[in-house]
DNA sequence: ATGGTTTTTACTGCGTC
DNA sequence: GACGCGGTAAAAACCAT
């Protein structure tokens, strides 16, 4: 039963070769920062490109036939694939395909096979579970524009949760979501709990609860999200200049050194920094639009950005 | 459950285009 | 007059205890 639609991914489609370009700012070498999903200048730290997102298939099809032709169904074989769909069922009746009963010899053989198949099958219930979870993870990750490696990480987290029997009493969706949340943070491309909630089928409170649980049980170390890691995303949806974006980062670094930020929401800080940077570089933005893209209230932006500017002042004075 | 902290909501006043 | 911004008070959400 070979399915003609099953093809392996074609080897080596357009590998990402950008390493040799030079920084527009200072002509230094560009470096891929895998962790953040960014291309950064090695010299001045300027972020040239951020957050590559999954735009779906690289091919286009103009009619159904062509689509069949070009479509490579299924994920590439990685952590993200559960079992390739190769499971077996053995009938319980001691009969052959024609309904004749089997010899005792045959019967014993079938008995043994059933036993083993059953063993595999208990594993299968897990696999089934996994399959669904991986689907969810993939869906959410791509809705959030998270890079491949985050999905991988999320998958791994989910597998571990499954292996450690953390699932009973918790929904597959909940744990998948928590895995995505954790993975994104670990990878340095965090999404806020609100953003996560947007694409999940589960409520925020449950996500938070499950997340904490999973983190604790798995002994995962996830440090609080760095405000800076939100900057590129906000900056690009606001179409800010690279200069302003860089400014926002330095603002945050100063604030960090002065310890202004503990206890405050990283997203709020990032949003405020972005807004402040726009002000400092004379780029037109309003608190309203920043608050929109960052999903943070204007009030919070106001409060934070005052603090940021103060911190900046304090630093130059000292 | 409770209390403290942060964020949000809603509203008001001020200056400018 | 609408818009952007600043401030405030009270509510809601969050967190640790």
């Amino acid at each position: 039963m070979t399915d003609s639609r099953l093809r392996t991914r074609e080897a080596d489609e357009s590998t990402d070769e950008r390493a040799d370009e030079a920084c527009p700012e200072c002509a230094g070498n560009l470096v891929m920062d895998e962790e953040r999903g960014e291309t950064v200048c090695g010299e001045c730290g300027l972020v040239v490109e951020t957050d590559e997102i999954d735009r779906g298939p690289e091919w286009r099809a103009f009619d159904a036939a062509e689509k069949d032709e070009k479509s490579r169904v299924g994920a590439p074989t990685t952590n993200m694939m559960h079992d390739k769909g190769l499971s077996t069922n053995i009938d319980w009746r001691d009969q052959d395909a024609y309904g004749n009963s089997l010899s005792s010899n045959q019967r014993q053989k079938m008995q043994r096979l059933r036993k083993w198949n059953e063993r595999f099958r208990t594993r299968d219930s897990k696999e089934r579970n996994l399959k669904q979870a991986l689907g969810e993870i993939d869906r959410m990750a791509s809705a959030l524009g998270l890079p491949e490696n985050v999905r991988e990480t999320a998958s791994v987290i989910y597998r571990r949760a499954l292996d450690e029997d953390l699932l009973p009493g918790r929904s597959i969706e909940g744990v998948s979501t928590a895995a995505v949340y954790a993975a994104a943070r670990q990878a340095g491309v965090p999404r806020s709990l609100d953003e996560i909630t947007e694409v999940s089928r589960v409520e925020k409170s449950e996500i938070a609860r499950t997340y904490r649980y999973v983190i604790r049980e798995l002994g995962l170390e996830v440090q609080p999200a760095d405000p800076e890691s939100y900057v590129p995303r906000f900056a690009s949806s606001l179409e800010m200049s690279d200069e302003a974006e860089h400014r926002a980062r330095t603002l945050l670094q100063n604030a960090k050194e002065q310890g202004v930020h503990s206890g405050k929401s990283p997203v709020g800080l990032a949003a405020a920094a972005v807004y402040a940077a726009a002000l400092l570089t004379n780029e037109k933005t309003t608190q309203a639009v920043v608050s929109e893209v960052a999903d943070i209230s204007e009030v919070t932006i106001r409060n934070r950005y005052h603090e940021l500017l103060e911190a900046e002042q304090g630093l130059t004075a000292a």
Side-chain angles (χ1 to χ4, degrees):
Chain A
M1 54 139 212
T2 5
D3 191 332
S4 68
R5 285 168 307 166
L6 271 181
R7 295 196 191 141
T8 53
R9 167 176 270 197
E10 271 148 20
D12 192 29
E13 42 211 16
S14 76
T15 42
D16 201 23
E17 261 308 350
R18 57 158 51 271
D20 295 338
E21 288 174 43
C23 172
E25 190 81 8
C26 67
N29 285 331
L30 292 185
V31 188
M32 275 295 280
D33 184 341
E34 295 288 349
E35 252 188 57
R36 298 206 166 167
E38 297 168 349
T39 304
V40 188
C41 172
E43 301 287 320
C44 64
L46 182 75
V47 180
V48 177
E49 202 170 303
T50 59
D51 225 359
E52 286 301 301
I53 64 172
D54 183 354
R55 295 171 206 283
E58 82 292 358
W59 43 266
R60 289 205 297 166
F62 295 94
D63 57 36
E66 202 179 350
K67 184 170 180 186
D68 260 7
E69 183 63 30
K70 290 184 172 174
S71 173
R72 299 176 294 274
V73 171
T77 319
T78 68
N79 261 321
M80 303 193 281
M81 212 177 192
H82 85 302
D83 76 342
K84 299 176 185 141
L86 304 173
S87 46
T88 314
N89 286 318
I90 301 179
D91 198 358
W92 57 272
R93 284 175 294 244
D94 286 319
Q95 293 174 345
D96 64 17
Y98 302 100
N100 303 321
S101 48
L102 302 171
S103 68
S104 73
N105 204 346
Q106 286 283 12
R107 210 173 295 167
Q108 283 188 0
K109 187 174 172 189
M110 293 315 285
Q111 207 60 268
R112 275 202 314 277
L113 285 176
R114 260 190 222 113
K115 190 162 152 193
W116 277 103
N117 193 41
E118 213 38 51
R119 289 188 186 167
F120 278 111
R121 202 154 12 183
T122 50
R123 259 226 269 157
D124 271 2
S125 82
K126 276 193 176 182
E127 292 291 313
R128 209 182 267 286
N129 180 325
L130 231 197
K131 183 179 175 184
Q132 199 195 331
L134 296 184
E136 277 297 287
I137 289 175
D138 218 41
R139 183 183 62 76
M140 293 187 281
S142 98
L144 291 167
L146 289 167
E148 185 88 350
N149 61 330
V150 175
R151 296 177 211 194
E152 291 274 357
T153 312
S155 307
V156 173
I157 293 175
Y158 192 91
R159 273 171 198 278
R160 285 195 52 204
L162 199 57
D163 287 343
E164 313 241 335
D165 287 324
L166 302 185
L167 266 295
R170 258 151 271 271
S171 70
I172 295 177
E173 285 89 358
V175 179
S176 318
T177 313
V180 171
Y181 183 47
R185 278 175 69 167
Q186 278 196 324
V189 282
R191 293 296 181 270
S192 70
L193 200 48
D194 287 312
E195 291 174 290
I196 297 276
T197 312
E198 285 274 305
V199 302
S200 174
R201 305 189 200 280
V202 189
E203 292 171 85
K204 183 151 85 173
S205 59
E206 185 181 341
I207 300 172
R209 186 158 34 84
T210 311
Y211 166 74
R212 272 195 287 268
Y213 178 74
V214 169
I215 292 303
R216 184 160 46 82
E217 292 300 312
L218 257 36
L220 252 37
E221 286 188 23
V222 189
Q223 41 297 63
D226 181 349
E228 268 188 75
S229 44
Y230 289 103
V231 170
R233 215 147 41 85
F234 296 164
S236 86
S237 26
L238 291 169
E239 299 182 334
M240 295 177 65
S241 70
D242 293 344
E243 188 199 349
E245 181 179 334
H246 193 247
R247 197 78 184 75
R249 285 169 173 274
T250 59
L251 235 25
L252 286 172
Q253 280 158 13
N254 284 338
K256 213 182 302 182
E257 275 165 39
Q258 306 224 343
V260 182
H261 62 306
S262 96
K264 309 291 165 59
S265 110
V267 194
L269 250 344
V274 165
Y275 175 71
L279 237 52
L280 292 172
T281 52
N282 290 319
E283 286 179 41
K284 59 142 197 109
T285 329
T286 66
Q287 300 176 347
V289 297
V290 177
S291 98
E292 183 132 345
V293 308
D295 201 19
I296 263 318
S297 82
E298 297 177 39
V299 181
T300 306
I301 294 180
R302 286 201 273 279
N303 294 335
R304 285 305 91 75
Y305 103 85
H306 282 143
E307 291 165 15
L308 286 178
L309 294 179
E310 258 174 51
E312 183 92 328
Q313 284 292 326
L315 205 72
T316 45

